[in-house]
Amino acid sequence: MEDMVRDMRTRFLVALLLSIPITLWSPIGRDLLGFSVSAPFGLRDDVFMLVLSLPVIFYSAWIFFDGAYRALRARTLDMMVLVAVAVGTGWLYSLFITLTGGGEVFYEAATVLATFVLLGHWFEMRARGGANDAVRTLLELAPPRAVVIRDGVEVELPTAEVVVGDLLLVRPGAKIPVDAVVEGGQSEVDESMVTGESMPVSKTPGEEIIGASINISGSLRARASKVGEDTALAQIVAMVQEAQNSKAPGQRLADRAAFWLVFVALIGGTGTFLVWLAVGASVPTAILFAITVVVITCPDALGLATPTAIMVGTGLGARRGILFKNATALETSARIDTVVMDKTGTLTKGAPEITDVVAQGMAQDEVLALVAAVERESEHPLARAVAVRAAEAAVPVHLASDFRNVAGHGAIATVQGHRVVVGNRRLMTQENVELGDLGQVRDELAAAGRTAVLAAVDGRAVAVIALADAPRETAARAVDALHKLGIEVVMLTGDNEATARRIADHLGIDTVIAEVLPGDKAEKVAELQRSGKRVAMVGDGVNDAPALATADIGVAIGAGTDVAIETADIVLMRSDPLDVPVALRIGRGTLRKMRQNLGWAIGYNAIALPIAAGVFYRSLGLSLSPEIAALSMSGSSVIVAVNALLLKRLRLPQQPATTVPKRASREAEPPGSAPAGNR
């Protein structure tokens, strides 16, 4: 893009420098100066202007003739055809007059016209280059060089030469060159530039690291797993570029309108020429009005109206970790009035965590130490949650013996000489454990939507441990932001009605559709669409993929499955539900700019065309010269491009800092949901 901008600037400067003397030696220039100067070398004025015009026509303006040739070969009409016709007609007519012995020529009209159009194109390309900043910034994230260990020797080489299987050495403070899997070392990695995650992520052997992220603390040895176009960064860049180069429905409409506008301009220019001849005007006058009509109706602004807005919108999303896969997704997102959100993993964290530990007859830490010893032997998700809580509480670590898993009910083991039973009410009944007051506590917690696990030591009930899949920290803010946009929010879940309703009430969600089988989610989305709603579906799992495909817009949480991400139209790299309203706000802002630009382009042509044709010339003396027409046409294009760039100033919610959630008391904790397979 930068090379193209430089080339356009050079063409413009050549045209400008030569158009100035051409204009000064023209009749218009002599009128402005008040006196005439003879052309140098004894040349006639028209011959001198012809010589100066040659580089303008055959270098600076040649891109218009080449573009027109390509368009006609493709059997289409575009603004290149109009500019080529306007410049070529004025120059060829002037050449004919010069070769046949003199008369009024239009070299200054042809060259100044080319100069102003080139100026407009230069500004447009600079504006579009600015809209591409997001892609350029992403490309610059990857480090240029990498340190590879080969045959036990550290070798520094260009990142492009790293191959899959190379062992990388990533020192503290260095950027990770490509996607890799950690084989040695432990460190914190800042992935914010790629994923938007503000907090460093701990990396240990066996875990994946993303190219272009920054190694913060420890030294890492990692095996390259993806290089070149296969890296996560390259995929993100490709997705953004594809979106910027794709065409939205509005743009396709503008392209068709531009085609017919060119057709009308050519017919209008011919008709203007014939009408002025018919009313007695001279051939030069008729040609000037015809050229002005052709120039003023160039659909350059119309052609820029939507692509520039799309480029800015997709770039703005990329900076926030929101990837629009194509322009259609960007435009369609602006029309959404209903957002359907999956519960588990989207509105909630997708993993159970302890919300309450109610101990009786034994200290809470002592209970946690005994129960955790049992649960460390289990692979159940609830068991892992207990082990994590025990580690956070820094309770003593005990070893369990004689461990026995009771399928569907819990586990039993010996810890510190005590027989510890952890599980559900049925297991306690089998073990002849009387629950007493803890039975009522267990029922209250279960009624609140939590999974209640009972613990008994040596045949005596000692605690109830409640677990829940807690809402994400930003879920309530996301729902509130959607409401402020006038959007209805629907929770779609396979969970039971009571649990889903409690979470929905806590988050402020309007409608709950619960107890839905995975295969039926798409049908529920289709039902909403049949009722006249424009639906966006937000999900993260394999079972969400059909619903994502069915919805008008599918939005995938970035931490979700590959299937969900591939099916979706929008990917939220930060896995934050608060980015859903941000994406819709970007879509609305982009569509607003597209409409403003289209309105300006169409209105400009509607007003300028009759003036250019000379409709008001004899009655009001109002007319436009080809040069002024070219300047106003270029100015219109620049206005459209700059207006699109103003989208960068769209006010979006500030990205919240990621914090470690605090453990709250039972009363303060928002209601969670009971994960499948309760014990």
Side-chain angles (χ1 to χ4, degrees):
M1 175 62 91
E2 291 180 0
D3 291 340
M4 295 173 64
V5 172
R6 282 195 295 269
D7 177 66
M8 190 62 67
R9 180 185 61 194
T10 302
R11 291 176 185 272
F12 160 70
L13 291 176
V14 169
L16 176 64
L17 292 175
L18 293 174
S19 294
I20 291 174
I22 291 173
T23 302
L24 292 177
W25 263 272
S26 70
I28 293 177
R30 287 195 295 269
D31 291 341
L32 290 174
L33 293 174
F35 59 89
S36 61
V37 179
S38 300
F41 311 114
L43 298 174
R44 293 200 325 254
D45 288 351
D46 57 347
V47 174
F48 177 61
M49 288 189 289
L50 169 62
V51 173
L52 292 180
S53 71
L54 292 175
V56 178
I57 299 300
F58 291 98
Y59 169 66
S60 295
W62 192 253
I63 58 171
F64 301 128
F65 300 110
D66 182 62
Y69 172 72
R70 293 174 186 273
L72 293 175
R73 280 196 62 184
R75 297 182 180 180
T76 188
L77 298 174
D78 60 15
M79 63 86 54
M80 290 292 188
V81 175
L82 286 187
V83 175
V85 168
V87 173
T89 300
W91 189 81
L92 289 173
Y93 175 80
S94 300
L95 176 65
F96 174 77
I97 294 298
T98 299
L99 295 178
T100 55
E104 187 175 354
V105 293
F106 306 121
Y107 290 117
E108 82 286 351
T111 57
V112 172
L113 167 59
T115 301
F116 282 146
V117 176
L118 288 167
L119 174 64
H121 274 256
W122 178 33
F123 283 154
E124 291 161 16
M125 293 178 72
R126 288 184 62 185
R128 297 182 74 166
N132 238 337
D133 283 345
V135 173
R136 190 181 303 112
T137 301
L138 287 171
L139 289 170
E140 291 173 352
L141 289 178
R145 302 186 70 81
V147 178
V148 177
I149 301 175
R150 291 179 175 171
D151 300 324
V153 179
E154 295 180 15
V155 180
E156 185 174 324
L157 70 166
T159 299
E161 296 181 12
V162 175
V163 298
V164 174
D166 274 342
L167 183 61
L168 306 171
L169 174 62
V170 188
R171 296 186 174 92
K175 280 188 176 182
I176 298 167
V178 297
D179 295 359
V181 178
V182 177
E183 289 194 356
Q186 182 173 350
S187 182
E188 300 285 320
V189 175
D190 179 3
E191 299 180 344
S192 59
M193 289 184 292
V194 180
T195 67
E197 174 58 58
S198 58
M199 294 293 290
V201 181
S202 176
K203 297 295 182 180
T204 55
E207 294 185 308
E208 295 182 352
I209 51 178
I210 304 173
S213 54
I214 301 174
N215 183 28
I216 296 178
S217 52
S219 181
L220 292 175
R221 293 174 185 265
R223 189 74 62 179
S225 57
K226 294 179 181 178
V227 300
E229 296 180 353
D230 295 328
T231 63
L233 178 64
Q235 294 296 318
I236 292 172
V237 171
M239 193 180 297
V240 174
Q241 288 178 326
E242 182 180 352
Q244 291 187 337
N245 293 327
S246 62
K247 291 188 177 183
Q251 184 179 345
R252 289 191 286 270
L253 178 62
D255 288 346
R256 289 195 295 272
F259 173 87
W260 288 109
L261 189 60
V262 172
F263 182 76
V264 169
L266 294 174
I267 298 298
T270 304
T272 299
F273 175 76
L274 295 175
V275 168
W276 277 103
L277 284 182
V279 298
S282 65
V283 172
T285 300
I287 288 178
L288 276 177
F289 277 118
I291 290 174
T292 305
V293 167
V294 170
V295 172
I296 206 73
T297 49
C298 275
D300 204 12
L302 189 63
L304 282 171
T306 57
T308 48
I310 288 168
M311 291 181 70
V312 176
T314 51
L316 188 61
R319 288 190 181 92
R320 291 291 299 254
I322 300 168
L323 303 182
F324 295 90
K325 287 192 174 180
N326 50 58
T328 301
L330 186 64
E331 183 174 335
T332 305
S333 66
R335 300 186 171 92
I336 295 299
D337 55 33
T338 303
V339 171
V340 177
M341 305 186 83
D342 174 53
K343 180 179 71 65
T344 305
T346 301
L347 288 169
T348 65
K349 297 175 181 177
E353 55 184 45
I354 291 179
T355 60
D356 307 82
V357 178
V358 181
Q360 188 177 78
M362 185 177 288
Q364 189 178 99
D365 285 353
E366 188 178 358
V367 170
L368 269 178
L370 294 174
V371 172
V374 177
E375 298 290 38
R376 287 191 191 97
E377 305 296 321
S378 172
E379 291 299 319
H380 196 283
L382 300 184
R384 288 196 293 273
V386 173
V388 168
R389 177 61 180 275
E392 291 175 351
V395 299
V397 177
H398 301 313
L399 296 178
S401 60
D402 303 325
F403 175 83
R404 178 166 63 91
N405 182 62
V406 183
H409 299 304
I412 302 170
T414 300
V415 182
Q416 297 291 99
H418 300 285
R419 189 170 188 272
V420 182
V421 179
V422 183
N424 58 20
R425 185 190 290 271
R426 184 171 296 180
L427 180 60
M428 296 300 157
T429 300
Q430 292 177 1
E431 293 293 314
N432 298 316
V433 175
E434 294 291 335
L435 298 180
D437 294 340
L438 290 178
Q440 183 178 351
V441 173
R442 180 263 172 210
D443 293 341
E444 290 174 355
L445 290 170
R450 291 164 170 77
T451 299
V453 177
L454 297 160
V457 177
D458 296 331
R460 178 170 60 89
V462 295
V464 178
I465 301 174
L467 303 96
D469 182 8
R472 291 179 182 267
E473 289 82 356
T474 58
R477 288 179 57 193
V479 173
D480 181 63
L482 288 169
H483 285 158
K484 289 178 179 177
L485 291 175
I487 293 173
E488 178 185 358
V489 183
V490 178
M491 177 194 289
L492 185 63
T493 179
D495 213 339
N496 65 78
E497 178 77 27
T499 299
R501 175 60 63 184
R502 288 185 181 90
I503 293 179
D505 290 343
H506 174 73
L507 298 179
I509 291 175
D510 308 298
T511 306
V512 174
I513 304 176
E515 301 178 18
V516 180
L517 295 175
D520 295 335
K521 286 187 175 183
E523 177 57 30
K524 293 297 181 182
V525 170
E527 287 179 9
L528 292 170
Q529 291 173 313
R530 287 194 290 269
S531 68
K533 299 182 184 297
R534 295 187 179 95
V535 181
M537 172 68 194
V538 186
D540 74 322
V542 173
N543 59 359
D544 297 324
L548 292 172
T550 301
D552 295 276
I553 287 290
V555 183
I557 293 290
T561 64
D562 290 340
V563 174
I565 292 173
E566 288 296 323
T567 308
D569 304 291
I570 302 173
V571 179
L572 308 181
M573 296 299 295
R574 298 173 64 242
S575 301
D576 187 347
L578 189 59
D579 283 339
V580 175
V582 173
L584 301 187
R585 191 181 291 273
I586 291 173
R588 290 186 179 187
T590 303
L591 183 61
R592 183 166 59 250
K593 289 298 180 185
M594 289 166 59
R595 287 172 173 169
Q596 289 173 356
N597 287 349
L598 286 171
W600 167 262
I602 294 171
Y604 162 80
N605 280 284
I607 294 172
L609 184 58
I611 299 175
V615 173
F616 307 109
Y617 178 62
R618 292 192 170 178
S619 60
L620 302 175
L622 186 61
S623 66
L624 292 173
S625 66
E627 301 96 315
I628 300 301
L631 180 61
S632 60
M633 183 271 291
S634 299
S636 175
S637 300
V638 172
I639 289 173
V640 165
V642 171
N643 185 49
L645 288 175
L646 290 177
L647 182 61
K648 290 183 177 181
R649 302 175 64 182
L650 183 68
R651 298 182 67 178
L652 299 174
Q654 293 295 317
Q655 290 179 319
T658 303
T659 57
V660 178
K662 295 181 179 179
R663 301 289 172 178
S665 64
R666 192 175 84 187
E667 290 76 19
E669 187 74 25
S673 65
N678 295 351
R679 284 165 48 167

